[in-house]
Amino acid sequence: MRILGIETTCDETAAAVVRLKPEGGGEILSNEVRSQIEEHAPYGGVVPEIAARAHVEIIDGLVARALRDANVELSDLDGVAAAAGPGLIGGVMVGLITGKALALAAGKPFIAVNHLEAHALTARLTDDLTFPYLLLLVSGGHTQLVAVEGVGEYRRIGTTVDDAVGEAFDKVAKLLGLPYPGGPQVEIEAAKGDAGRFDLPRPMLARQKPDFSLSGLKTAVRLQAERAAPMSPADVSDLCASFQGAVVDVIVDRTRMGLRVFRTELGHPSALVVAGGVASNQAIRRALMRFCGESGLRLVLPPPALCTDNGAMIAWTGIERLRLGLVDGLDFPARPRWPLDQNAERVHNGKA
Ligand code: KG4
Ligand code: ZN
């Protein structure tokens, strides 16, 4: 089985071809990603209108390259998958319409993929992994702990009540004058700094419900920055290190609580899976390795290129769904909001 996957929900245009191996698991035949960082950088964040236009300009060439790299024709595919949300509506429509058009032209099944489900299932593309597992999804738009019980079966255990972790990294970077996108810059600065220099809060620590809150921490960073102004490069590094240290503590504590809830309600997870752009942060990866070692839990960390947005995760989710007979009509709508767990209570930030 070979599927083309298309991703355009945020600021990456991506197309990939993934094959289902006869013994199970996936093989990435091609994986084209074009980041729009340069287009958005002058504005310090993603501008939806610019994102949508940039997707339109390159999507057809990118799909052609993904097919060529994989050495397949459209007619060789078994299906076409495209992310139908959640995300920025203009961008989602570009990828969704492209996917539908290709499926129609080639007479192939079409699979509308939930972008969050794709992050959740990527670990089964890269690693031999059985359900159920605990997923920590930490990206620019989402921060959730999810019990993944099967394809299409997700139970949200915890979520952020305000900012996503990646969003907090990006906002801290912006207020410290670091270039966009902020997460990787904060990590680089933090590596040079002293994490013990600034005293910052660890919101939600030890709370029974495994939810997250990041906005108070971000405000505390702002207040410390104002107090230390004008900041030297060493001050910036120290504040980044202190911020990242607080985030690491919060993530480990919330994951520990999420694991406790999982074990009480569902038994033992096969692994802790970490996904989303923030999962490429080395300090967070190291802390979770330590935590899983202590907890006797397998840790699955997809390679950084598959943690950030990509087409392979969309293609793989297409495979997971198509082999269960789950296909979609060409009338499938673009869904700017599309929670993984339809039964989860809506939090006021509207992101979960
Ligand atoms: O999953 P992703 O590529 O896009 C979505 O949000 O869906 O995640 C992007 C987010 C951004 O907020 C970015 O700053 C953050 O992930 N990020 C990082 C790192 N690399 C990316 N945050 C902290 N450390 C990093 N190394
Ligand atoms: Zn994402």
Side-chain angles (χ1 to χ4, degrees), residues 93-111:
M93 281 165 61
V94 174
L96 186 61
I97 291 168
T98 305
K100 286 176 179 178
L102 291 171
L104 181 66
K108 304 290 177 182
F110 173 71
I111 306 105

Side-chain angles (χ1 to χ4, degrees), residues 206-218:
R207 286 268 184 100
Q208 288 298 320
K209 198 163 179 293
D211 283 337
F212 296 75
S213 169
L214 277 309
S215 78
L217 173 57
K218 175 198 63 196

Side-chain angles (χ1 to χ4, degrees), residues 115 119 139-141 166-167 169-170 183-184 187 276-278 280-281 307-309:
H115 177 94
H119 277 304
S139 71
E167 189 179 0
F169 267 94
D170 294 337
E187 180 176 4
V278 182
S280 48
N281 182 290
C307 286
T308 48
D309 293 346

Side-chain angles (χ1 to χ4, degrees), residues 186-200:
V186 171
E187 180 176 4
I188 292 166
E189 289 299 323
K192 298 183 275 185
D194 169 11
R197 160 98 184 275
F198 292 95
D199 191 21
L200 294 171

Side-chain angles (χ1 to χ4, degrees), residues 15-17 28-33 61-73:
V17 179
I28 298 173
L29 301 180
S30 63
N31 195 13
E32 293 287 334
V33 184
L62 207 74
V63 166
R65 264 213 323 266
L67 292 173
R68 202 173 52 227
D69 290 358
N71 215 0
V72 295
E73 307 275 338

Side-chain angles (χ1 to χ4, degrees), residues 52-260:
R53 282 169 186 258
H55 289 308
V56 170
E57 278 163 16
I58 64 158
I59 187 72
D60 51 349
L62 207 74
V63 166
R65 264 213 323 266
L67 292 173
R68 202 173 52 227
D69 290 358
N71 215 0
V72 295
E73 307 275 338
L74 211 46
S75 56
D76 299 325
L77 296 173
D78 296 284
V80 179
L88 301 172
I89 185 78
V92 170
M93 281 165 61
V94 174
L96 186 61
I97 291 168
T98 305
K100 286 176 179 178
L102 291 171
L104 181 66
K108 304 290 177 182
F110 173 71
I111 306 105
V113 169
N114 179 318
H115 177 94
L116 302 176
E117 177 170 38
H119 277 304
L121 296 178
T122 300
R124 282 165 53 84
L125 158 66
T126 55
D127 293 76
D128 185 19
L129 184 66
T130 53
F131 299 117
Y133 53 85
L134 176 62
L135 168 74
L136 169 67
L137 175 61
V138 271
S139 71
H142 300 272
T143 293
Q144 299 183 9
L145 281 157
V146 178
V148 181
E149 298 177 85
V151 175
E153 293 175 54
Y154 309 98
R155 193 190 305 188
R156 197 185 75 199
I157 292 177
T159 188
T160 178
V161 299
D162 41 56
D163 292 351
V165 175
E167 189 179 0
F169 267 94
D170 294 337
K171 287 179 176 171
V172 162
K174 201 168 182 177
L175 74 89
L176 294 177
L178 300 172
Y180 165 87
Q185 293 297 326
V186 171
E187 180 176 4
I188 292 166
E189 289 299 323
K192 298 183 275 185
D194 169 11
R197 160 98 184 275
F198 292 95
D199 191 21
L200 294 171
R202 269 80 176 144
M204 296 279 193
L205 217 67
R207 286 268 184 100
Q208 288 298 320
K209 198 163 179 293
D211 283 337
F212 296 75
S213 169
L214 277 309
S215 78
L217 173 57
K218 175 198 63 196
T219 304
V221 171
R222 183 169 52 74
L223 294 175
Q224 294 280 16
E226 283 167 8
R227 210 167 294 155
M231 292 180 83
S232 68
D235 294 336
V236 171
S237 301
D238 290 347
L239 194 46
C240 285
S242 303
F243 165 74
Q244 186 174 274
V247 171
V248 164
D249 288 351
V250 167
I251 286 181
V252 170
D253 178 77
R254 305 292 68 210
T255 305
R256 178 178 293 115
M257 216 53 95
L259 178 60
R260 197 173 294 171

Side-chain angles (χ1 to χ4, degrees), residues 111 113-114 117-118 121 312-322:
I111 306 105
V113 169
N114 179 318
E117 177 170 38
L121 296 178
M313 69 180 192
I314 306 297
W316 172 252
T317 304
I319 288 177
E320 292 260 38
R321 295 185 68 83
L322 184 60

